[in-house]
Amino acid sequence: MRLYEEKAACCGCGACADACPVQAIRMVPDREGFLYPEVIRTACVHCGRCDAVCPLKAESAALREGLFFGARSERLRPGSSSGGMFTVLAEYVLQRKGAVFGAAFGEHMEVLHREAQSPAELEGLRRTKYVQSRLDGVYIRIRSLLKEGRWVLFCGTPCQAHALKRFLGEPYPTLLLADLVCYGVPSPGIWRRYVALLERRHGGRLTEFSFRDKRARDNGHTRCYTTGSREYTSSLGEDIFCKMFFANLSIRPSCHACRYCTPDRESDFTLGDFWGIERVRPEWDDGMGTSLVILHTERAREVWEQIRGGLDWFPCRQADALQPRLREPTPVSRFRGAFMAACRVLPAGWLFPLSTAALSAAGLCRRLVVRRRR
């Protein structure tokens, strides 16, 4: 039994595994390093629960038109990827003795969703991680907390947030769902190989990695990481893992057919960088980031009324906020197949340098084509 016909029909959210009443589904990496559900046929009882929670098999709901804002917290944004709105919402929930779930680095720098019930635990959930996260047991844990009447904030990709909503199957007044304006998720398998490469290169364990550091006041376009006791920094565009990501070489197949690349979402909030702030509010363009906030539900509007007093914010039109990933999915690279084939046969020590050369060659070819067209 297969839960999907094509790779593009599975987003890897893992809700089916948590929903299975007999634990007959496990998430297994494929040759590209992405997790897919595998059914243990001898254990399956054919209850259909796995299909019922799948976000990509759900019919589109009639959604209410959202309200759009730019917002930032001067207190929080230096340590955030954009304007600090995730942390603002997290603090709102923690003040109510609730729990916050977001992506964090694990013991071996793998990316997984983790629970935070204190400001100290929250710190690891802040800032962007450009890797698809695991959610083993997270849906079950959130349901347990909600049934106890606890507040919960879940923040993740739109497919993960929709999967949680499907998993729960009923509304909870103490649940806040926040999804992200998502470019697509890179392969955890390639990330794991990159971590190993950096550790070999520097002779120490990788303990910290920031994809969006703001020390240069460059809107988070600095990448930094720590191995051993030494920190290394560079432009985000010079990091080879990020190069592969933004060249659309390492993104999950379902992301290229994403149904959530629209301002209409199933969550309470949508959060993201306010790209284009220099056109909408030039005086806000100080290199330290502004969050785009979209309110989808009445619950989101109620929370917004309670938190906005501590923020700098402005309302905006939908047209001001419609960045590319709110219009259409990230296109697939024509080099993706060759790149993934190379990943399967080349060691990381060869793969990443060759990827740099291939990306440079591809960029040169594109520039030559543009010049000829002119």
Side-chain angles (χ1 to χ4, degrees), residues 63-85:
L63 302 174
R64 195 174 163 182
E65 186 173 346
L67 299 178
F68 295 76
F69 299 91
R72 65 189 187 189
S73 166
E74 289 298 337
R75 173 176 62 90
L76 297 171
R77 67 179 182 143
S80 303
S81 293
S82 53
M85 281 304 303

Side-chain angles (χ1 to χ4, degrees), residues 209-244:
F209 198 103
S210 175
F211 289 97
R212 300 285 303 281
D213 187 89
K214 291 181 178 177
R215 69 188 64 191
R217 300 184 70 90
D218 59 355
N219 287 310
H221 289 156
T222 296
R223 181 273 287 138
C224 69
Y225 61 86
T226 300
T227 56
S229 59
R230 184 173 178 182
E231 184 181 66
Y232 301 85
T233 65
S234 74
S235 165
L236 184 68
E238 294 175 3
D239 182 87
I240 184 57
F241 180 83
C242 295
K243 278 186 177 182
M244 293 186 293

